[in-house]
Amino acid sequence: MTYNYDKLWKLLIDRKMTKTEMRIQAGISTNMLAKMGKEEPVTMETLAKICTALNCGLDDIVEIQKDGD
């Protein structure tokens, strides 16, 4: 499976917010942010914190694709 966080990065640009500002506001670790930067999976708790901080849904920040799609 491939995890794509491009929607999140675009949302941050649209809101003129840096990744660090989002990380602090959401209360997630630098390790989680780094994993997302490498398109690796993160916990549901991490995604929920980001959605709560940005007032958005999961489908607004992540896409999960099967390998080969």
Side-chain angles (χ1 to χ4, degrees):
M1 286 191 181
T2 303
Y3 300 85
N4 185 322
Y5 302 100
D6 288 346
K7 286 183 172 185
L8 172 59
W9 310 141
K10 183 176 183 327
L11 182 64
L12 293 179
I13 290 168
D14 291 345
R15 295 187 182 190
K16 296 181 169 84
M17 179 182 265
T18 66
K19 291 178 182 179
T20 301
E21 289 170 337
M22 181 273 300
R23 181 187 67 76
I24 293 167
Q25 188 174 339
I28 63 171
S29 69
T30 53
N31 289 343
M32 288 296 118
L33 187 59
K35 287 179 92 171
M36 294 172 76
K38 297 175 191 172
E39 296 190 348
E40 295 178 2
V42 295
T43 65
M44 189 66 160
E45 180 181 359
T46 298
L47 296 175
K49 286 179 179 181
I50 293 169
C51 288
T52 300
L54 298 177
N55 194 28
C56 64
L58 285 173
D59 59 335
D60 295 323
I61 64 171
V62 65
E63 282 185 306
I64 301 170
Q65 300 167 337
K66 289 175 29 179
D67 289 335
D69 284 358

